[in-house]
Amino acid sequence: MPENFYFGLLDPNVLMAIVNIILADDNNDAEKCMQVLFFRESHEKIKGYFEEVIPRYSLSDFKSHFRMTRSTFARMLENLAPSLIGGLNAGQDTVVPEKKLSIAVWLLCNQEVYRSVADRFGVSINTAWRSTIKICHALLEMSEDYIQWPQGPALRRVQAEFQEIAGFPNVIGAIDGTHIEISAPSINGDSYVCRKNFHSLQLQAICDANLRFINIFTGMCGSVHDARVWGLSDIKAAIEENKERYFPNNSHILGDTAYGLESYLMVPYKDYGNMTAAQRNFNTILSRHRVVIERGFCLLKGRCRRLKYLYLQKVKYGSLMIAACCVLHNICLDLDDEATDDILAEIGDIEEDNNEVIENGRNNVPAQLKRDELAETLMIAARR
């Protein structure tokens, strides 16, 4: 018999008498009813999985499950361990940092449910959840070390890497948004329904030519248009305050037709049926460069499969987990942790952009002139 778990609302003998009266003709049913009322359900846990099984994983098996190499995991543990020790309940915390990180990475990089992961690692569901949130907070605290806007030599390297793709000059990054599907929130649920008719949180990101995020902004509900998310983002406000810091020497980022044309944000020409050859060529070349952000999102979701569907009891944790996954994505890229075939398979599934097209800055004359000059420069290069 499992250990008794009394609720303390009624004397057990009194409640047993009530059950017997209700089910007087079937003692077996009475006994089952008492088990449901008084006994905590027992869940079998996998004994020694963390301590004995994981250490025996081959390098390929480890990467298949954790979506990263052992060396990447070890580097993460080295950096995160100090923030995983101590706290208000330090005396009650018996989970070692390596196990916390194992639980969190497993949960972020797989779609396995919390109960299954908790049983796998021999902990309670609450412990699995707390470990994951602890790791996510620790990753977020490190975000400025891994998600950085390029400056100096790094900026010039990024521009050179972009130009190698198809010749578009002075590009710092490509911007877009993606929807992270979530469970329906209990409050204002309709606000989270995106244009694809599911509940979501938005992730706006800017990435370099190597799919590395140089800026992220997340947490907006799914019904908000990409252009509105951009207008509310921290990076947009920072650019308006000091444009030269972010876009020195007439540089720019690339976006799609969901964004307005700015001198620092080049977007395609709107096709009204009268596009010139130079404008069509401009759109084609811009698209070949801008696809890196779509590939970045696919790689992110391929490595951190939890982002394919986030079950959340509280929406406030959604943006934390999304941001933590973005940091994890950059850490793996920084450590040259190559994507395996199953991760790369996700990259082929690039989302189609069904966002409403906005008028591309028709009143922004300086931006229009810059785009026209770039279009002519790219056309001249194409004719050579």
Side-chain angles (χ1 to χ4, degrees):
M1 292 288 288
E3 181 182 356
N4 288 352
F5 181 73
Y6 295 106
F7 289 93
L9 299 178
L10 286 175
D11 184 285
N13 294 323
V14 174
L15 195 51
M16 188 69 236
I18 296 173
V19 172
N20 284 330
I21 292 172
I22 296 173
L23 302 172
D25 58 339
D26 193 332
N27 289 331
N28 289 332
D29 284 345
E31 179 65 22
K32 291 177 182 177
C33 185
M34 284 301 296
Q35 289 181 10
V36 171
L37 288 170
F38 291 144
F39 304 126
R40 193 189 300 271
E41 184 180 359
S42 175
H43 294 286
E44 290 296 326
K45 301 187 184 301
I46 301 176
K47 296 180 179 179
Y49 183 79
F50 169 75
E51 296 81 2
E52 300 174 13
V53 177
I54 292 179
R56 295 201 303 268
Y57 273 160
S58 67
L59 296 179
S60 60
D61 284 344
F62 186 92
K63 185 156 186 175
S64 177
H65 288 298
F66 288 91
R67 319 296 273 184
M68 64 178 64
T69 63
R70 286 187 185 276
S71 60
T72 298
F73 183 91
R75 286 285 297 277
M76 285 184 60
L77 180 63
E78 180 182 351
N79 292 335
L80 292 173
S83 61
L84 302 180
I85 301 171
L88 293 177
N89 299 316
Q92 303 174 11
D93 189 356
T94 59
V95 182
V96 297
E98 184 177 0
K99 191 169 188 177
K100 289 179 183 177
L101 184 58
S102 297
I103 292 169
V105 171
W106 192 287
L107 278 164
L108 293 176
C109 293
N110 294 282
Q111 292 182 292
E112 199 169 346
V113 298
Y114 279 86
R115 172 169 289 176
S116 176
V117 176
D119 291 347
R120 178 183 297 276
F121 285 90
V123 298
S124 68
I125 296 176
N126 284 339
T127 297
W129 170 254
R130 285 196 302 267
S131 296
T132 302
I133 294 303
K134 183 78 170 177
I135 294 294
C136 287
H137 276 296
L139 286 169
L140 190 60
E141 290 174 2
M142 298 167 54
S143 60
E144 292 184 359
D145 295 329
Y146 290 98
I147 302 178
Q148 298 177 334
W149 196 269
Q151 301 285 336
L155 175 62
R156 292 188 290 273
R157 184 181 65 252
V158 167
Q159 290 176 315
E161 290 168 345
F162 265 112
Q163 192 156 2
E164 288 177 3
I165 296 175
F168 207 115
N170 300 326
V171 179
I172 294 176
I175 184 173
D176 204 357
T178 189
H179 291 269
I180 308 299
E181 185 173 1
I182 63 171
S183 50
S186 58
I187 300 175
N188 299 324
D190 291 345
S191 300
Y192 292 86
V193 179
C194 69
R195 64 183 183 275
K196 297 182 180 180
N197 203 33
F198 58 78
H199 295 85
S200 72
L201 289 174
Q202 297 234 39
L203 167 61
Q204 173 189 281
I206 304 172
C207 80
D208 64 19
N210 295 313
L211 316 185
R212 187 179 187 278
F213 298 129
I214 61 174
N215 181 265
I216 63 167
F217 178 70
T218 188
M220 297 292 292
C221 55
S223 62
V224 181
H225 189 277
D226 280 6
R228 179 63 173 161
V229 176
W230 165 245
L232 294 172
S233 64
D234 297 336
I235 186 64
K236 177 67 159 56
I239 290 169
E240 294 298 335
E241 287 185 8
N242 191 350
K243 191 181 302 182
E244 186 61 25
R245 176 186 181 277
Y246 291 93
F247 298 102
N249 303 319
N250 208 28
S251 53
H252 37 256
I253 57 176
L254 306 178
D256 61 16
T257 52
Y259 298 93
L261 177 66
E262 301 282 354
S263 61
Y264 55 82
L265 174 52
M266 293 289 104
V267 299
Y269 286 93
K270 179 72 172 67
D271 189 359
Y272 296 103
N274 58 349
M275 291 177 65
T276 66
Q279 290 172 341
R280 287 194 295 272
N281 181 65
F282 176 92
N283 284 3
T284 298
I285 294 178
L286 185 148
S287 178
R288 289 171 63 184
H289 289 75
R290 198 195 63 79
V291 74
V292 297
I293 185 61
E294 302 290 356
R295 291 173 62 83
F297 285 145
C298 288
L299 181 57
L300 170 69
K301 294 178 183 180
R303 195 182 295 274
C304 300
R305 287 178 286 187
R306 179 68 52 183
L307 296 187
K308 291 188 173 184
Y309 180 82
L310 266 179
Y311 175 77
L312 300 170
Q313 291 186 333
K314 295 183 179 180
V315 177
K316 67 178 184 179
Y317 291 115
S319 57
L320 170 65
M321 298 180 76
I322 294 168
C325 287
C326 291
V327 177
L328 182 61
H329 167 91
N330 273 13
I331 289 174
C332 290
L333 290 177
D334 286 353
L335 296 177
D336 296 322
D337 195 326
E338 296 182 359
T340 53
D341 289 342
D342 55 339
I343 296 176
L344 289 172
E346 310 286 346
I347 296 181
D349 186 21
I350 294 179
E351 299 177 358
E352 292 187 10
D353 184 10
N354 298 319
N355 232 332
E356 178 186 356
V357 176
I358 65 172
E359 295 300 326
N360 291 332
R362 284 185 158 187
N363 297 322
N364 192 331
V365 176
Q368 290 181 53
L369 291 174
K370 176 180 176 178
R371 182 169 64 176
D372 291 343
E373 290 175 1
L374 283 168
E376 289 300 323
T377 299
L378 292 172
M379 192 64 189
I380 291 170
R383 288 170 176 162
R384 290 176 181 170

